[in-house]
Structure formats: structure tokens, C-alpha cells
């Protein structure tokens, strides 16, 4: 810093590198808090045969449904659940050739 020949970009780069090193040591995860929230939301719920949209909105980050009958659910704490159902091979085959 005492040398007048050091350029602005070089000093800026060194300062940003030092800041990055300091922040790389810091970690924060809200997963434990979200897990506790999920436990609280689900603790008094009994198994239901109907879909509770309000509960789903509170607990799920997103839901995926694929064409091969796979359903995936990611909870707000990052836990991923998958339900894979075997599809029957007894689906009628069809002739896709043109006559």
C-alpha cells in the first residue's frame, strides 16, 4: 500500500479476495428451524385420505409429477421424497404403422 506503483485494480482484487476468505468461513443454515416448523405443522395431523392444500403449501417447496408415474416432493427443509409406482405392462399395445 505504501508503494505508489500499486494499481487500483490490484488493491481492489486483494481486498475482495480477503473478504471472500472471511465469508467462506461463515456458514448459516436455517434447516434446523425449518425442520422444527415441519414437526410442529405435522405433529397433530392424522393420516388423511384427502389432500390438505393448506398443509401442502406450508410444508412443500415444490412437487414434481413425471410421465412415468413418479411423484416427487421437496419439503421446505430440503428433504426430498419420491414415490415410485410400478406401472402395469398390460397396457394395450397399438400399431402405429400406416396402412
Amino acid at each position: 500500500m505504501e508503494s505508489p506503483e500499486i494499481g487500483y485494480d490490484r488493491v481492489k482484487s486483494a481486498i475482495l479476495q480477503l473478504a471472500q476468505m472471511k465469508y467462506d468461513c461463515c456458514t448459516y443454515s436455517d434447516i434446523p428451524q425449518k425442520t422444527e416448523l415441519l414437526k410442529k405443522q405435522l405433529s397433530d395431523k392424522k393420516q388423511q385420505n384427502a389432500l390438505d392444500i393448506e398443509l401442502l403449501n406450508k410444508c412443500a417447496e415444490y412437487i414434481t409429477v413425471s410421465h412415468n408415474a413418479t411423484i416427487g416432493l421437496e419439503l421446505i427443509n430440503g428433504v426430498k421424497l419420491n414415490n415410485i409406482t410400478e406401472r402395469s405392462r398390460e397396457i394395450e399395445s397399438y400399431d402405429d404403422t400406416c396402412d
Side-chain angles (χ1 to χ4, degrees):
M1 292 297 292
E2 295 174 5
S3 174
E5 296 152 8
I6 296 177
Y8 170 79
D9 290 334
R10 187 172 170 195
V11 172
K12 177 181 146 185
S13 176
I15 291 171
L16 291 176
Q17 186 177 16
L18 178 61
Q20 180 180 358
M21 288 169 49
K22 287 183 178 183
Y23 284 106
D24 284 344
C25 296
C26 300
T27 58
Y28 173 77
S29 174
D30 61 349
I31 291 175
Q33 292 87 353
K34 288 183 176 180
T35 301
E36 287 303 315
L37 179 64
L38 282 171
K39 286 180 183 179
K40 183 179 175 185
Q41 293 288 333
L42 300 172
S43 65
D44 60 343
K45 298 291 180 186
K46 296 179 182 177
Q47 184 174 350
Q48 300 175 345
N49 291 331
L51 184 62
D52 185 348
I53 299 295
E54 184 179 334
L55 180 64
L56 197 57
N57 283 333
K58 290 178 182 177
C59 298
E61 189 70 31
Y62 67 86
I63 299 171
T64 56
V65 179
S66 69
H67 66 283
N68 63 355
T70 302
I71 300 171
L73 171 71
E74 183 171 335
L75 299 174
I76 59 172
N77 66 348
V79 173
K80 295 179 182 178
L81 305 170
N82 289 313
N83 180 17
I84 301 171
T85 306
E86 290 275 337
R87 292 186 78 179
S88 173
R89 284 297 196 184
E90 297 175 11
I91 300 172
E92 290 183 31
S93 61
Y94 64 94
D95 186 8
D96 61 352
T97 58
C98 295
D99 290 323

